[in-house]
Amino acid sequence: MSASLIITLKTLFERDLNKLKAEIESYQDERNIWRTEKGIANSAGNLCLHLIGNLNSYIGAEIGKTGYVRNRAGEFALKDIPRTELIKQIDDSIGVVSEALDRLTEKNIDDEYPMLVFEKKTTYVFFLVHLTTHLAYHLGQINYHRRLIDVA
């Protein structure tokens, strides 16, 4: 495994977290960030909190040793957090992810990820690729949410 993979992962996380920030900033009516409608289970705000919690837990706390403690239930229960606070949390997460990934090397990226998340243990590289696709999946949901809910 080469160092270029670590650089690629950092680049993808930063790109998509910046896209997440742009999506949240693009809501014309800030209240719509928290709206749901029939057939839409999660608001963009809750998906944003979920992504922040996910990355700060699996990358920040586990790899970066930040001490972050996740409140997964709160990610879906909290409502009406101001847009400015969501943006701040996204910006903070960009830094946390970057700093944590700086701890990985060509030698340890293929090591076993320390947490059991799936049915069996995985490597850092497998789990980090999974996290990039998880981020992209929910980013797409937020984009659709904005275009369906936040219409003028």
Side-chain angles (χ1 to χ4, degrees), residues 6-19:
I6 297 168
I7 293 166
T8 299
L9 289 166
K10 284 179 66 172
T11 301
L12 292 173
F13 280 117
E14 182 176 352
R15 179 198 70 186
D16 286 351
L17 284 167
N18 277 311
K19 284 183 180 180

Side-chain angles (χ1 to χ4, degrees), residues 25-87:
E25 290 171 335
S26 293
Y27 279 81
Q28 295 174 35
D29 184 340
E30 184 172 347
R31 295 172 296 181
N32 288 338
I33 294 170
W34 299 97
R35 275 186 51 204
T36 57
E37 296 286 338
K38 183 178 179 182
I40 300 175
N42 295 306
S43 71
N46 290 115
L47 290 172
C48 180
L49 291 174
H50 172 61
L51 289 168
I52 290 165
N54 184 278
L55 296 175
N56 276 281
S57 180
Y58 292 126
I59 297 177
E62 200 58 46
I63 298 172
K65 307 301 182 202
T66 62
Y68 179 85
V69 177
R70 187 174 189 185
N71 175 6
R72 191 174 192 285
E75 295 167 13
F76 295 98
L78 295 171
K79 303 291 180 210
D80 300 322
I81 294 168
R83 179 190 338 237
T84 55
E85 178 58 26
L86 293 175
I87 298 302

Side-chain angles (χ1 to χ4, degrees), residues 73-139:
E75 295 167 13
F76 295 98
L78 295 171
K79 303 291 180 210
D80 300 322
I81 294 168
R83 179 190 338 237
T84 55
E85 178 58 26
L86 293 175
I87 298 302
K88 180 188 178 314
Q89 288 184 35
I90 295 167
D91 282 337
D92 291 346
S93 297
I94 291 169
V96 165
V97 168
S98 179
E99 289 175 24
L101 293 181
D102 284 342
R103 297 174 72 117
L104 291 177
T105 67
E106 291 181 53
K107 294 178 183 169
N108 66 5
I109 196 167
D110 284 319
D111 289 350
E112 187 176 275
Y113 184 78
M115 289 180 69
L116 177 63
V117 181
F118 303 117
E119 294 171 6
K120 63 181 184 172
K121 289 279 198 166
T122 65
T123 61
Y124 281 100
V125 69
F126 178 91
F127 195 61
L128 289 167
V129 169
H130 162 75
L131 290 174
T132 63
T133 62
H134 178 261
L135 172 57
Y137 174 76
H138 287 310
L139 180 59

